[in-house]
Amino acid sequence: MKNRTRRAIWIAAGLAGLGIAATLVLNAFQSNLVFFLTPTQVVAHEAPHDRSFRIGGLVEEGSVARDKDGLTVRFRVTDTAKTIPVVYVGILPDLFREGKGVVAQGRIGGDGVFKATEVLAKHDENYMPPEAAEALKKAGHPMDKGAFAGQKGTKK
Protein backbone atom coordinates (compact mmCIF):
# COMPACT_ATOMS: atom_id res chain seq x y z
CA MET A 1 0.00 0.00 0.00
CA LYS A 2 1.35 3.40 -0.98
CA ASN A 3 1.95 6.13 1.58
CA ARG A 4 -0.57 8.31 -0.23
CA THR A 5 -3.31 5.68 0.07
CA ARG A 6 -2.47 5.00 3.71
CA ARG A 7 -2.61 8.75 4.51
CA ALA A 8 -6.01 9.07 2.76
CA ILE A 9 -7.37 6.15 4.82
CA TRP A 10 -6.17 7.76 8.08
CA ILE A 11 -7.71 11.10 7.09
CA ALA A 12 -11.02 9.43 6.18
CA ALA A 13 -11.03 7.48 9.46
CA GLY A 14 -10.28 10.67 11.42
CA LEU A 15 -13.08 12.57 9.68
CA ALA A 16 -15.49 9.69 10.32
CA GLY A 17 -14.52 9.67 14.01
CA LEU A 18 -15.03 13.44 14.27
CA GLY A 19 -18.41 13.11 12.55
CA ILE A 20 -19.53 10.41 14.99
CA ALA A 21 -18.31 12.43 17.98
CA ALA A 22 -20.11 15.58 16.74
CA THR A 23 -23.31 13.60 16.20
CA LEU A 24 -23.17 12.18 19.74
CA VAL A 25 -22.52 15.61 21.29
CA LEU A 26 -25.34 17.28 19.35
CA ASN A 27 -27.73 14.44 20.21
CA ALA A 28 -26.90 14.77 23.92
CA PHE A 29 -27.36 18.55 23.72
CA GLN A 30 -30.72 18.18 21.98
CA SER A 31 -32.02 15.70 24.55
CA ASN A 32 -31.03 18.01 27.45
CA LEU A 33 -32.45 21.18 25.89
CA VAL A 34 -35.40 22.52 27.93
CA PHE A 35 -37.61 25.30 26.57
CA PHE A 36 -39.10 28.04 28.74
CA LEU A 37 -42.69 29.03 27.94
CA THR A 38 -45.32 31.29 29.45
CA PRO A 39 -48.93 30.24 30.08
CA THR A 40 -49.98 32.33 27.06
CA GLN A 41 -47.63 30.33 24.83
CA VAL A 42 -48.89 27.03 26.26
CA VAL A 43 -52.53 28.01 25.64
CA ALA A 44 -51.53 29.00 22.07
CA HIS A 45 -50.30 25.39 21.59
CA GLU A 46 -46.63 26.40 21.24
CA ALA A 47 -45.61 23.82 23.86
CA PRO A 48 -43.83 20.64 22.75
CA HIS A 49 -45.98 17.54 23.29
CA ASP A 50 -43.18 14.99 23.17
CA ARG A 51 -40.71 16.53 25.61
CA SER A 52 -40.33 18.29 28.93
CA PHE A 53 -40.34 22.09 29.12
CA ARG A 54 -40.46 24.83 31.74
CA ILE A 55 -43.40 27.08 32.46
CA GLY A 56 -43.01 30.28 34.43
CA GLY A 57 -45.12 33.03 35.88
CA LEU A 58 -46.88 33.87 39.11
CA VAL A 59 -48.65 31.44 41.42
CA GLU A 60 -52.26 32.61 41.22
CA GLU A 61 -53.71 33.89 44.51
CA GLY A 62 -56.04 31.37 46.17
CA SER A 63 -55.11 28.55 43.80
CA VAL A 64 -52.83 26.39 45.97
CA ALA A 65 -54.54 23.20 47.17
CA ARG A 66 -52.96 20.14 48.77
CA ASP A 67 -54.35 16.63 48.39
CA LYS A 68 -54.86 14.39 51.42
CA ASP A 69 -51.62 12.49 50.72
CA GLY A 70 -49.69 15.61 51.76
CA LEU A 71 -47.35 15.51 48.77
CA THR A 72 -49.63 16.32 45.83
CA VAL A 73 -50.05 20.05 45.31
CA ARG A 74 -52.32 21.70 42.76
CA PHE A 75 -51.93 25.35 41.82
CA ARG A 76 -52.30 27.66 38.84
CA VAL A 77 -49.51 29.57 37.11
CA THR A 78 -50.45 32.82 35.39
CA ASP A 79 -48.75 35.49 33.34
CA THR A 80 -51.78 37.73 34.03
CA ALA A 81 -53.10 37.03 30.52
CA LYS A 82 -53.60 33.24 30.65
CA THR A 83 -53.54 30.61 33.39
CA ILE A 84 -52.37 26.99 33.39
CA PRO A 85 -53.28 24.44 36.11
CA VAL A 86 -50.25 22.61 37.55
CA VAL A 87 -49.99 19.38 39.54
CA TYR A 88 -46.79 18.59 41.45
CA VAL A 89 -46.00 15.60 43.64
CA GLY A 90 -43.21 16.33 46.06
CA ILE A 91 -41.96 18.84 48.56
CA LEU A 92 -42.19 22.45 47.44
CA PRO A 93 -39.36 24.94 48.00
CA ASP A 94 -39.65 26.95 51.22
CA LEU A 95 -40.14 30.21 49.30
CA PHE A 96 -43.09 28.92 47.23
CA ARG A 97 -45.97 31.35 47.84
CA GLU A 98 -49.14 32.55 46.18
CA GLY A 99 -48.54 35.72 44.21
CA LYS A 100 -44.82 35.00 43.85
CA GLY A 101 -42.84 33.89 40.81
CA VAL A 102 -42.38 30.22 40.02
CA VAL A 103 -40.76 28.08 37.35
CA ALA A 104 -41.92 24.47 37.00
CA GLN A 105 -40.51 21.79 34.72
CA GLY A 106 -42.62 18.97 33.32
CA ARG A 107 -45.07 18.09 30.55
CA ILE A 108 -48.54 19.17 29.57
CA GLY A 109 -51.10 16.38 29.83
CA GLY A 110 -53.91 15.62 27.41
CA ASP A 111 -56.31 17.18 29.90
CA GLY A 112 -54.47 20.54 29.72
CA VAL A 113 -52.93 20.15 33.18
CA PHE A 114 -49.19 20.72 33.47
CA LYS A 115 -47.66 17.78 35.36
CA ALA A 116 -44.56 19.20 37.02
CA THR A 117 -41.61 17.00 37.89
CA GLU A 118 -39.68 19.87 39.46
CA VAL A 119 -40.56 23.24 40.94
CA LEU A 120 -37.52 25.48 40.90
CA ALA A 121 -36.64 27.40 44.04
CA LYS A 122 -35.74 31.05 44.07
CA HIS A 123 -32.52 32.04 45.79
CA ASP A 124 -34.26 34.77 47.76
CA GLU A 125 -37.76 36.11 48.18
CA ASN A 126 -37.28 39.00 45.73
CA TYR A 127 -35.86 37.04 42.81
CA MET A 128 -37.68 35.90 39.71
CA PRO A 129 -35.94 34.22 36.75
CA PRO A 130 -35.27 36.83 34.05
CA GLU A 131 -37.33 34.91 31.48
CA ALA A 132 -40.38 34.88 33.75
CA ALA A 133 -39.99 38.57 34.61
CA GLU A 134 -39.73 39.46 30.92
CA ALA A 135 -42.79 37.37 30.05
CA LEU A 136 -44.81 39.08 32.76
CA LYS A 137 -43.65 42.51 31.55
CA LYS A 138 -44.83 41.64 28.02
CA ALA A 139 -48.19 40.51 29.41
CA GLY A 140 -48.65 43.94 31.01
CA HIS A 141 -48.10 42.97 34.65
CA PRO A 142 -47.33 46.03 36.82
CA MET A 143 -43.66 45.51 37.59
CA ASP A 144 -43.46 47.95 40.49
CA LYS A 145 -44.97 45.47 42.95
CA GLY A 146 -42.68 43.74 45.45
CA ALA A 147 -42.74 40.46 43.51
CA PHE A 148 -40.03 41.68 41.15
CA ALA A 149 -37.79 43.81 43.32
CA GLY A 150 -34.17 43.51 42.35
CA GLN A 151 -34.80 42.65 38.71
CA LYS A 152 -32.81 44.55 36.12
CA GLY A 153 -35.04 47.15 34.50
CA THR A 154 -37.78 47.01 37.14
CA LYS A 155 -38.84 49.49 39.75
CA LYS A 156 -38.19 48.73 43.41
Side-chain angles (χ1 to χ4, degrees), residues 104-126:
Q105 184 170 326
R107 295 175 182 246
I108 195 83
D111 56 356
V113 175
F114 186 80
K115 292 172 179 45
T117 56
E118 181 178 15
V119 174
L120 302 176
K122 300 173 289 185
H123 71 274
D124 78 15
E125 63 195 33
N126 294 321

PDB file of all heavy atoms in Angstrom, residues 104-126:
ATOM      1  N   ALA A 104     -41.705  25.913  36.821  1.00  0.00           N
ATOM      2  CA  ALA A 104     -41.923  24.475  36.999  1.00  0.00           C
ATOM      3  C   ALA A 104     -41.516  23.758  35.721  1.00  0.00           C
ATOM      4  O   ALA A 104     -41.753  24.259  34.621  1.00  0.00           O
ATOM      5  CB  ALA A 104     -43.383  24.197  37.318  1.00  0.00           C
ATOM      6  N   GLN A 105     -40.909  22.602  35.863  1.00  0.00           N
ATOM      7  CA  GLN A 105     -40.507  21.795  34.716  1.00  0.00           C
ATOM      8  C   GLN A 105     -41.354  20.541  34.673  1.00  0.00           C
ATOM      9  O   GLN A 105     -41.602  19.915  35.697  1.00  0.00           O
ATOM     10  CB  GLN A 105     -39.026  21.417  34.813  1.00  0.00           C
ATOM     11  CG  GLN A 105     -38.525  20.668  33.592  1.00  0.00           C
ATOM     12  CD  GLN A 105     -37.024  20.519  33.595  1.00  0.00           C
ATOM     13  OE1 GLN A 105     -36.314  21.395  34.063  1.00  0.00           O
ATOM     14  NE2 GLN A 105     -36.546  19.411  33.061  1.00  0.00           N
ATOM     15  N   GLY A 106     -41.801  20.166  33.488  1.00  0.00           N
ATOM     16  CA  GLY A 106     -42.620  18.974  33.323  1.00  0.00           C
ATOM     17  C   GLY A 106     -43.213  18.903  31.930  1.00  0.00           C
ATOM     18  O   GLY A 106     -42.633  19.430  30.980  1.00  0.00           O
ATOM     19  N   ARG A 107     -44.388  18.272  31.830  1.00  0.00           N
ATOM     20  CA  ARG A 107     -45.070  18.092  30.548  1.00  0.00           C
ATOM     21  C   ARG A 107     -46.530  18.458  30.685  1.00  0.00           C
ATOM     22  O   ARG A 107     -47.113  18.313  31.750  1.00  0.00           O
ATOM     23  CB  ARG A 107     -44.981  16.646  30.077  1.00  0.00           C
ATOM     24  CG  ARG A 107     -43.593  16.175  29.771  1.00  0.00           C
ATOM     25  CD  ARG A 107     -43.593  14.688  29.428  1.00  0.00           C
ATOM     26  NE  ARG A 107     -42.245  14.233  29.186  1.00  0.00           N
ATOM     27  CZ  ARG A 107     -41.806  13.822  28.009  1.00  0.00           C
ATOM     28  NH1 ARG A 107     -42.620  13.769  26.996  1.00  0.00           N
ATOM     29  NH2 ARG A 107     -40.559  13.435  27.862  1.00  0.00           N
ATOM     30  N   ILE A 108     -47.114  18.863  29.583  1.00  0.00           N
ATOM     31  CA  ILE A 108     -48.535  19.167  29.568  1.00  0.00           C
ATOM     32  C   ILE A 108     -49.290  17.883  29.250  1.00  0.00           C
ATOM     33  O   ILE A 108     -48.902  17.129  28.360  1.00  0.00           O
ATOM     34  CB  ILE A 108     -48.855  20.289  28.548  1.00  0.00           C
ATOM     35  CG1 ILE A 108     -50.244  20.874  28.778  1.00  0.00           C
ATOM     36  CG2 ILE A 108     -48.729  19.827  27.133  1.00  0.00           C
ATOM     37  CD1 ILE A 108     -50.269  21.911  29.828  1.00  0.00           C
ATOM     38  N   GLY A 109     -50.308  17.586  30.037  1.00  0.00           N
ATOM     39  CA  GLY A 109     -51.098  16.383  29.830  1.00  0.00           C
ATOM     40  C   GLY A 109     -52.189  16.607  28.791  1.00  0.00           C
ATOM     41  O   GLY A 109     -52.479  17.739  28.399  1.00  0.00           O
ATOM     42  N   GLY A 110     -52.818  15.547  28.366  1.00  0.00           N
ATOM     43  CA  GLY A 110     -53.913  15.622  27.408  1.00  0.00           C
ATOM     44  C   GLY A 110     -55.102  16.387  27.940  1.00  0.00           C
ATOM     45  O   GLY A 110     -55.901  16.928  27.178  1.00  0.00           O
ATOM     46  N   ASP A 111     -55.207  16.462  29.268  1.00  0.00           N
ATOM     47  CA  ASP A 111     -56.313  17.185  29.896  1.00  0.00           C
ATOM     48  C   ASP A 111     -56.009  18.669  30.076  1.00  0.00           C
ATOM     49  O   ASP A 111     -56.806  19.416  30.652  1.00  0.00           O
ATOM     50  CB  ASP A 111     -56.641  16.556  31.246  1.00  0.00           C
ATOM     51  CG  ASP A 111     -55.440  16.490  32.182  1.00  0.00           C
ATOM     52  OD1 ASP A 111     -54.324  16.868  31.770  1.00  0.00           O
ATOM     53  OD2 ASP A 111     -55.621  16.032  33.328  1.00  0.00           O
ATOM     54  N   GLY A 112     -54.833  19.133  29.600  1.00  0.00           N
ATOM     55  CA  GLY A 112     -54.466  20.537  29.716  1.00  0.00           C
ATOM     56  C   GLY A 112     -53.809  20.901  31.030  1.00  0.00           C
ATOM     57  O   GLY A 112     -53.493  22.057  31.264  1.00  0.00           O
ATOM     58  N   VAL A 113     -53.586  19.907  31.895  1.00  0.00           N
ATOM     59  CA  VAL A 113     -52.933  20.152  33.178  1.00  0.00           C
ATOM     60  C   VAL A 113     -51.436  19.909  33.020  1.00  0.00           C
ATOM     61  O   VAL A 113     -51.014  18.894  32.470  1.00  0.00           O
ATOM     62  CB  VAL A 113     -53.518  19.247  34.285  1.00  0.00           C
ATOM     63  CG1 VAL A 113     -52.763  19.426  35.587  1.00  0.00           C
ATOM     64  CG2 VAL A 113     -54.994  19.528  34.474  1.00  0.00           C
ATOM     65  N   PHE A 114     -50.638  20.850  33.517  1.00  0.00           N
ATOM     66  CA  PHE A 114     -49.188  20.722  33.469  1.00  0.00           C
ATOM     67  C   PHE A 114     -48.756  19.840  34.628  1.00  0.00           C
ATOM     68  O   PHE A 114     -49.007  20.164  35.791  1.00  0.00           O
ATOM     69  CB  PHE A 114     -48.542  22.107  33.572  1.00  0.00           C
ATOM     70  CG  PHE A 114     -47.057  22.097  33.388  1.00  0.00           C
ATOM     71  CD1 PHE A 114     -46.491  22.049  32.131  1.00  0.00           C
ATOM     72  CD2 PHE A 114     -46.217  22.149  34.485  1.00  0.00           C
ATOM     73  CE1 PHE A 114     -45.115  22.052  31.967  1.00  0.00           C
ATOM     74  CE2 PHE A 114     -44.842  22.155  34.337  1.00  0.00           C
ATOM     75  CZ  PHE A 114     -44.292  22.099  33.069  1.00  0.00           C
ATOM     76  N   LYS A 115     -48.124  18.714  34.332  1.00  0.00           N
ATOM     77  CA  LYS A 115     -47.659  17.783  35.359  1.00  0.00           C
ATOM     78  C   LYS A 115     -46.181  18.067  35.614  1.00  0.00           C
ATOM     79  O   LYS A 115     -45.321  17.670  34.842  1.00  0.00           O
ATOM     80  CB  LYS A 115     -47.902  16.348  34.917  1.00  0.00           C
ATOM     81  CG  LYS A 115     -49.402  16.049  34.859  1.00  0.00           C
ATOM     82  CD  LYS A 115     -49.702  14.722  34.247  1.00  0.00           C
ATOM     83  CE  LYS A 115     -51.163  14.407  34.202  1.00  0.00           C
ATOM     84  NZ  LYS A 115     -52.060  15.440  33.759  1.00  0.00           N
ATOM     85  N   ALA A 116     -45.916  18.763  36.704  1.00  0.00           N
ATOM     86  CA  ALA A 116     -44.564  19.201  37.023  1.00  0.00           C
ATOM     87  C   ALA A 116     -43.770  18.079  37.674  1.00  0.00           C
ATOM     88  O   ALA A 116     -44.276  17.362  38.534  1.00  0.00           O
ATOM     89  CB  ALA A 116     -44.602  20.413  37.944  1.00  0.00           C
ATOM     90  N   THR A 117     -42.533  17.932  37.264  1.00  0.00           N
ATOM     91  CA  THR A 117     -41.614  16.995  37.895  1.00  0.00           C
ATOM     92  C   THR A 117     -40.650  17.731  38.824  1.00  0.00           C
ATOM     93  O   THR A 117     -39.988  17.112  39.643  1.00  0.00           O
ATOM     94  CB  THR A 117     -40.805  16.226  36.843  1.00  0.00           C
ATOM     95  OG1 THR A 117     -40.133  17.176  36.002  1.00  0.00           O
ATOM     96  CG2 THR A 117     -41.709  15.342  36.000  1.00  0.00           C
ATOM     97  N   GLU A 118     -40.596  19.051  38.655  1.00  0.00           N
ATOM     98  CA  GLU A 118     -39.682  19.866  39.457  1.00  0.00           C
ATOM     99  C   GLU A 118     -40.252  21.279  39.557  1.00  0.00           C
ATOM    100  O   GLU A 118     -40.728  21.836  38.571  1.00  0.00           O
ATOM    101  CB  GLU A 118     -38.311  19.887  38.773  1.00  0.00           C
ATOM    102  CG  GLU A 118     -37.265  20.658  39.479  1.00  0.00           C
ATOM    103  CD  GLU A 118     -35.911  20.589  38.770  1.00  0.00           C
ATOM    104  OE1 GLU A 118     -35.859  20.180  37.603  1.00  0.00           O
ATOM    105  OE2 GLU A 118     -34.931  20.965  39.399  1.00  0.00           O
ATOM    106  N   VAL A 119     -40.227  21.839  40.737  1.00  0.00           N
ATOM    107  CA  VAL A 119     -40.563  23.237  40.943  1.00  0.00           C
ATOM    108  C   VAL A 119     -39.279  23.900  41.407  1.00  0.00           C
ATOM    109  O   VAL A 119     -38.708  23.523  42.427  1.00  0.00           O
ATOM    110  CB  VAL A 119     -41.701  23.406  41.981  1.00  0.00           C
ATOM    111  CG1 VAL A 119     -41.928  24.879  42.287  1.00  0.00           C
ATOM    112  CG2 VAL A 119     -42.981  22.763  41.462  1.00  0.00           C
ATOM    113  N   LEU A 120     -38.823  24.865  40.635  1.00  0.00           N
ATOM    114  CA  LEU A 120     -37.525  25.476  40.901  1.00  0.00           C
ATOM    115  C   LEU A 120     -37.622  26.537  41.986  1.00  0.00           C
ATOM    116  O   LEU A 120     -38.511  27.380  41.968  1.00  0.00           O
ATOM    117  CB  LEU A 120     -36.959  26.087  39.618  1.00  0.00           C
ATOM    118  CG  LEU A 120     -36.794  25.093  38.467  1.00  0.00           C
ATOM    119  CD1 LEU A 120     -36.322  25.800  37.222  1.00  0.00           C
ATOM    120  CD2 LEU A 120     -35.827  23.994  38.857  1.00  0.00           C
ATOM    121  N   ALA A 121     -36.682  26.467  42.919  1.00  0.00           N
ATOM    122  CA  ALA A 121     -36.639  27.399  44.043  1.00  0.00           C
ATOM    123  C   ALA A 121     -35.965  28.694  43.626  1.00  0.00           C
ATOM    124  O   ALA A 121     -35.080  28.699  42.773  1.00  0.00           O
ATOM    125  CB  ALA A 121     -35.889  26.777  45.211  1.00  0.00           C
ATOM    126  N   LYS A 122     -36.365  29.756  44.267  1.00  0.00           N
ATOM    127  CA  LYS A 122     -35.738  31.055  44.066  1.00  0.00           C
ATOM    128  C   LYS A 122     -34.648  31.203  45.122  1.00  0.00           C
ATOM    129  O   LYS A 122     -34.787  30.686  46.216  1.00  0.00           O
ATOM    130  CB  LYS A 122     -36.777  32.159  44.207  1.00  0.00           C
ATOM    131  CG  LYS A 122     -37.909  32.014  43.193  1.00  0.00           C
ATOM    132  CD  LYS A 122     -38.994  33.001  43.453  1.00  0.00           C
ATOM    133  CE  LYS A 122     -39.733  32.622  44.707  1.00  0.00           C
ATOM    134  NZ  LYS A 122     -40.878  33.437  45.006  1.00  0.00           N
ATOM    135  N   HIS A 123     -33.597  31.934  44.801  1.00  0.00           N
ATOM    136  CA  HIS A 123     -32.520  32.043  45.791  1.00  0.00           C
ATOM    137  C   HIS A 123     -32.804  33.061  46.871  1.00  0.00           C
ATOM    138  O   HIS A 123     -32.153  33.077  47.894  1.00  0.00           O
ATOM    139  CB  HIS A 123     -31.172  32.301  45.123  1.00  0.00           C
ATOM    140  CG  HIS A 123     -31.015  33.654  44.527  1.00  0.00           C
ATOM    141  ND1 HIS A 123     -31.429  33.962  43.273  1.00  0.00           N
ATOM    142  CD2 HIS A 123     -30.499  34.784  45.041  1.00  0.00           C
ATOM    143  CE1 HIS A 123     -31.157  35.211  43.012  1.00  0.00           C
ATOM    144  NE2 HIS A 123     -30.600  35.742  44.062  1.00  0.00           N
ATOM    145  N   ASP A 124     -33.758  33.944  46.678  1.00  0.00           N
ATOM    146  CA  ASP A 124     -34.260  34.774  47.765  1.00  0.00           C
ATOM    147  C   ASP A 124     -35.672  35.216  47.421  1.00  0.00           C
ATOM    148  O   ASP A 124     -36.162  34.982  46.340  1.00  0.00           O
ATOM    149  CB  ASP A 124     -33.331  35.946  48.101  1.00  0.00           C
ATOM    150  CG  ASP A 124     -33.426  37.117  47.139  1.00  0.00           C
ATOM    151  OD1 ASP A 124     -34.377  37.201  46.350  1.00  0.00           O
ATOM    152  OD2 ASP A 124     -32.531  37.978  47.204  1.00  0.00           O
ATOM    153  N   GLU A 125     -36.338  35.835  48.359  1.00  0.00           N
ATOM    154  CA  GLU A 125     -37.764  36.113  48.184  1.00  0.00           C
ATOM    155  C   GLU A 125     -38.056  37.181  47.139  1.00  0.00           C
ATOM    156  O   GLU A 125     -39.186  37.324  46.706  1.00  0.00           O
ATOM    157  CB  GLU A 125     -38.368  36.527  49.517  1.00  0.00           C
ATOM    158  CG  GLU A 125     -37.760  37.806  50.049  1.00  0.00           C
ATOM    159  CD  GLU A 125     -38.092  38.023  51.501  1.00  0.00           C
ATOM    160  OE1 GLU A 125     -38.209  37.050  52.236  1.00  0.00           O
ATOM    161  OE2 GLU A 125     -38.222  39.188  51.878  1.00  0.00           O
ATOM    162  N   ASN A 126     -37.051  37.934  46.699  1.00  0.00           N
ATOM    163  CA  ASN A 126     -37.284  38.998  45.727  1.00  0.00           C
ATOM    164  C   ASN A 126     -36.830  38.634  44.324  1.00  0.00           C
ATOM    165  O   ASN A 126     -36.860  39.465  43.444  1.00  0.00           O
ATOM    166  CB  ASN A 126     -36.558  40.282  46.167  1.00  0.00           C
ATOM    167  CG  ASN A 126     -37.152  40.822  47.434  1.00  0.00           C
ATOM    168  OD1 ASN A 126     -38.356  40.791  47.612  1.00  0.00           O
ATOM    169  ND2 ASN A 126     -36.307  41.313  48.317  1.00  0.00           N
TER     170      ASN A 126
END
